Amino acid sequence: MATKSMNVDMLAKMFLAGAQNIEAKKEYINELNVFPVPDGDTGTNMSLTIMAAAKEVAALDKPTMKDLAKAISSGSLRGARGNSGVILSQLLRGFTKAIREEEEIDVQGLAAACSRARETAYKAVMKPKEGTILTVASGISEKAAQMAQETDDLEVFIPAVIEYAGEVLKKTPEMLPVLKEAGVVDSGGQGLLEVIKGAYDAFLGKEIRYSEIAPTSSGVSVKAAPGDEADIKFGYCTEFIILTEKEFTDKDEHEFKEYLSSIGDSIVCVADDDVVKIHVHTNDPGLAIQKALGFGQLSRMKIDNMREEHQEKLIRDAQKVAAEQSEKEKEEKEAQEPRKPFGFITVSIGEGINGIFKELGADYVIEGGQTMNPSTEDMLNAVDQVNADTIFILPNNKNIVLAANQAKALVEDKEIIVIPTRTVPQGITALINFMADADAKTNEETMLEEIENVKTGQVTYAVRDTHIDNKEIHEGDIMGIGDHGILAVGREIEETALELLKGLVDETTELISIYYGEEVREEDAEDFIAKVEETYPDADVDAHFGGQPIYYYVLAVE
C-alpha cells in the first residue's frame, strides 16, 4: 500500500533518527577529511550542529509543523560549528521554510523543500565549490524534482533520492582532485547522506536507539555526565579499528554488537568495506579485543580510564567555576559602564596564545579554534559580553569564518565586523594593526590588507596513511602544513619544522614568529629557536609559548 504523505510526528521522528545516525557515524566521517590531521572534524561539527536542533525537537510536546520547523531551524543555526555545520544548518533552514505552513507533506512538498534547502545553502557560501556537500544537496534536489513527476508514493520517492545522492557522492573525487588524490569522497557530502539515511530508517519503522537524545523534565540532555564516580558503571572507554581478513557480514555485525552489549555499553560498531570501527565502554577491554581478533588485525587502539578522567575533570571543573565566577563579576562591573566605541572577540587555541590576545586588547577570547570549532551560539554569547558599539570578530580559522558571519547576521543592537582571519598569526597581526583613533571602516581595510602579508605554518602528526599534495604520508609522520597545503613531511618534529620554514621564508621576510605547543618541552623549543635564528640571521625571530594542543609549532612569516 502506497504512503502518500507524512505528518509532523513522522517528520520529527525522521529528523531525530537522522541526527542519531550522523552522531553514530561521526568518527567515520571525520576520517574522510582530506588532511590526515588529528583534529579532522567534519563529522563532529555536523553532529554537534544537528544535535543542537535535535535537543530542541525532542523537547517539543505535541508540536505543529511550524513548531517543528522553528526548532530545527533555530537550533541548527545557533548550534552550527565549522563550515560543514553552517552549510548543514542552512540546508535545514531552507528545508523548514518550505514546510512550515503545511499540515502534511507529500512528494511535491518534499521536492519543494529539497529545492529550497539547496538554494538557501548555496546563497550562504560566497564561493560555492563543487565536489562538496553542496553538490550532494544539488543531486538530492534534482532527483527529488524528477521523482515528484513520476510518483506520488513516498516509499518509492525517498529511496530513489537516497540512491542518487549516493551516486553523486561517489563522483565527488572526480570533481575535486584533492579528494581523488587522497582516495576519499567528500566528508560533508557523506555526512548529509548519513542524515537522510537515518531519517529513512525511521520512515520504514525501524527501531532507533536515541541514545544521544533523551528527553528530560526540562527538555533534553545529551550524554549527561555522571555526578559521582560510582555512577560510572563501565570504567574503560575502548576504541579500535578492525582490519578485517574476511567479509564482515550483517550477521557478524549483529552478533558482535550483541557480544559488546553483554560486556558494556555506549557501543558503536560501524563497518565499511574491510574496516570496522569499534567503540565500547567496558570493565574488561581485553574481552572486546580478544573477540575482535577473530575478525582480523587491530589498529588505532585506545583505552582510557574514565574513572581517572572523571577525578581529573572534577578538579578542572572546580577551577573553571572559580575562574568563570571571577570573570562574571568582572563582566557585570564592565556592563554597568558606558559602551566603548570598539571591542574585539577572538578565537584562540592555547593558554599562551590566549594571554597574547588579551595583552593585545581582546575583550573576549573564545577557546577552541582548530581543536573544537566554536558554534554560532558561542559567538553570540561573546557578543553579549562585549560592551562596545562596534565589535570586530577574528575567527582565526578558515573553518570558523562562516559561523562568525552567521552570528553577525543574527545581531541587531551592535555593529559586527568579521575580519576573515584564517590562522591565529593573522588574528594577532590584525589586532596589532588596530588604530584606536581611526574609524571602523579604516581599521577594517587596514586589517584586511595586513593579514594578507602573513604566511602561516603548522606542525602536527598524521593520523592515517594517505597521499596528498604529491606526498606519500604514513600514520605517525610529522607534517608541516602551510596556508595552501602540506609543505614538509618527516619523522622528526624539529627537522620537519625547519623544512616547513624553507617553504615560507623568502628574500622579503623580516619577521619569523614561533608559538610552541603544550607537548613541546621548553628546552626543545629553545633549541629549535636557536637553529631558526642561525639559519635566518637577517630576520627577527619572535618566540612565545602558545600552549596549543595537537600542533607542536605554529609559525608565522611576515
Side-chain angles (χ1 to χ4, degrees):
M1 184 177 174
T3 302
K4 297 192 176 183
S5 67
M6 64 177 75
N7 61 18
V8 64
D9 293 333
M10 173 56 75
L11 190 61
K13 285 179 183 177
M14 291 173 69
F15 178 75
L16 292 176
Q20 179 64 32
N21 197 47
I22 196 171
E23 165 65 22
K25 305 285 179 63
K26 66 183 178 186
E27 290 302 331
Y28 165 62
I29 297 165
N30 284 343
E31 289 169 9
L32 292 176
N33 281 278
V34 171
F35 283 109
V37 290
D39 52 357
D41 53 6
T42 300
T44 300
N45 282 338
M46 295 183 75
S47 174
L48 288 170
T49 298
I50 200 169
M51 292 300 283
K55 289 167 66 176
E56 295 199 18
V57 170
L60 294 173
D61 183 28
K62 298 180 181 178
T64 63
M65 196 69 79
K66 185 174 285 187
D67 295 333
L68 178 62
K70 182 179 179 182
I72 293 173
S73 179
S74 175
S76 61
L77 280 174
R78 299 179 76 88
R81 295 176 189 265
N83 292 345
S84 56
V86 171
I87 293 171
L88 177 60
S89 74
Q90 291 296 324
L91 287 168
L92 294 171
R93 178 172 172 243
F95 187 94
T96 55
K97 276 187 175 181
I99 64 163
R100 64 193 331 150
E101 302 300 330
E102 306 296 330
E103 290 188 8
E104 296 210 345
I105 304 170
D106 57 14
V107 295
Q108 296 293 336
L110 270 182
C114 290
S115 176
R116 186 73 174 269
R118 176 203 175 280
E119 178 186 330
T120 304
Y122 267 86
K123 282 182 179 177
V125 181
M126 285 187 67
K127 296 180 180 178
K129 186 183 292 185
E130 295 307 324
T132 66
I133 181 175
L134 293 172
T135 305
V136 177
S138 282
I140 291 170
S141 175
E142 291 164 8
K143 190 65 176 180
Q146 176 195 327
M147 292 303 299
Q149 302 302 315
E150 297 178 7
T151 182
D152 61 357
D153 187 354
L154 290 170
E155 295 180 34
V156 176
F157 176 93
I158 298 175
V161 171
I162 292 175
E163 182 181 359
Y164 186 71
E167 292 173 8
V168 173
L169 179 64
K170 288 177 183 177
K171 294 175 183 176
T172 54
E174 301 304 320
M175 303 177 201
L176 276 180
V178 69
L179 294 176
K180 189 170 186 178
E181 186 181 7
V184 295
V185 296
D186 178 67
S187 54
Q190 183 72 55
L192 180 58
L193 184 60
E194 297 302 342
V195 171
I196 60 175
K197 279 184 173 180
Y200 184 49
D201 283 343
F203 176 80
L204 293 175
K206 291 184 180 180
E207 183 179 350
I208 310 295
R209 293 181 62 185
Y210 299 103
S211 58
E212 307 298 320
I213 314 166
T216 67
S217 58
S218 59
V220 301
S221 63
V222 180
K223 274 192 174 178
D228 192 291
E229 186 181 326
D231 294 335
I232 301 177
K233 183 178 180 182
F234 297 105
Y236 296 95
C237 175
T238 306
E239 297 179 72
F240 52 82
I241 289 174
I242 308 173
L243 306 175
T244 56
E245 296 170 350
K246 56 185 178 181
E247 183 184 3
F248 191 79
T249 64
D250 291 342
K251 183 172 180 286
D252 291 332
E253 182 176 348
H254 176 74
E255 291 178 352
F256 197 30
K257 284 181 178 176
E258 288 292 317
Y259 177 75
L260 293 176
S261 296
S262 72
I263 63 168
D265 63 10
S266 296
I267 292 156
V268 174
C269 176
V270 181
D272 181 61
D273 295 332
D274 55 355
V275 173
V276 183
K277 172 77 174 180
I278 300 296
H279 174 280
V280 61
H281 291 175
T282 179
N283 285 325
D284 193 338
L287 293 175
I289 291 169
Q290 185 176 0
K291 184 75 171 178
L293 285 169
F295 296 101
Q297 298 181 47
L298 305 188
S299 173
R300 304 274 295 281
M301 300 176 69
K302 183 171 175 282
I303 300 173
D304 293 322
N305 184 331
M306 293 191 294
R307 293 187 178 95
E308 184 179 82
E309 289 180 346
H310 179 73
Q311 290 291 343
E312 293 173 354
K313 182 179 183 298
L314 290 178
I315 295 170
R316 290 197 306 270
D317 287 351
Q319 293 171 335
K320 185 177 180 182
V321 167
E324 286 176 349
Q325 185 62 35
S326 175
E327 189 67 24
K328 185 177 179 182
E329 290 171 0
K330 179 184 174 185
E331 288 164 357
E332 288 174 351
K333 182 180 178 182
E334 290 176 350
Q336 295 170 5
E337 299 173 357
R339 273 191 184 181
K340 57 183 181 178
F342 299 110
F344 298 91
I345 295 169
T346 183
V347 180
S348 183
I349 58 174
E351 178 188 346
I353 292 172
N354 295 352
I356 292 169
F357 277 126
K358 288 175 182 176
E359 287 175 12
L360 291 173
D363 298 277
Y364 196 102
V365 176
I366 302 175
E367 294 190 52
Q370 188 66 19
T371 54
M372 173 56 78
N373 296 156
S375 66
T376 300
E377 181 79 21
D378 293 331
M379 300 278 184
L380 293 171
N381 290 338
V383 168
D384 287 342
Q385 299 300 324
V386 178
N387 192 27
D389 293 319
T390 299
I391 300 173
F392 292 90
I393 298 180
L394 309 174
N396 302 333
N397 187 303
K398 64 181 180 181
N399 206 31
I400 302 175
V401 174
L402 278 181
N405 283 325
Q406 190 151 280
K408 173 183 176 178
L410 295 172
V411 175
E412 298 178 353
D413 63 334
K414 298 173 183 177
E415 181 186 6
I416 306 298
I417 299 175
V418 177
I419 305 297
T421 48
R422 301 183 296 277
T423 64
V424 162
Q426 283 191 341
I428 291 172
T429 294
L431 269 177
I432 288 173
N433 283 279
F434 173 73
M435 299 172 290
D437 55 349
D439 61 22
K441 185 64 177 174
T442 301
N443 271 302
E444 180 181 9
E445 291 171 353
T446 301
M447 289 179 180
L448 289 172
E449 183 179 336
E450 291 297 330
I451 65 175
E452 292 306 316
N453 295 325
V454 181
K455 291 184 281 188
T456 304
Q458 301 177 95
V459 181
T460 186
Y461 59 93
V463 295
R464 67 173 184 273
D465 295 350
T466 190
H467 188 279
I468 187 171
D469 292 337
N470 296 315
K471 291 178 173 62
E472 194 71 35
I473 298 171
H474 301 284
E475 183 178 341
D477 281 352
I478 305 300
M479 301 180 298
I481 305 171
D483 292 316
H484 305 293
I486 298 174
L487 300 181
V489 178
R491 300 300 299 177
E492 301 295 331
I493 296 171
E494 185 177 285
E495 173 190 311
T496 307
L498 288 169
E499 185 66 25
L500 170 61
L501 270 177
K502 282 185 185 179
L504 299 174
V505 174
D506 58 28
E507 64 277 2
T508 66
T509 297
E510 297 177 355
L511 174 65
I512 298 172
S513 299
I514 299 169
Y515 306 91
Y516 61 93
E518 65 179 7
E519 295 181 43
V520 178
R521 297 184 306 171
E522 188 173 352
E523 54 266 38
D524 291 338
E526 289 173 353
D527 183 58
F528 173 65
I529 293 160
K531 288 184 179 177
V532 173
E533 289 174 332
E534 180 184 344
T535 307
Y536 303 102
D538 295 333
D540 292 328
V541 177
D542 185 30
H544 303 271
F545 168 66
Q548 68 273 8
I550 295 177
Y551 290 85
Y552 303 115
Y553 290 103
V554 173
L555 309 172
V557 172
E558 300 176 61

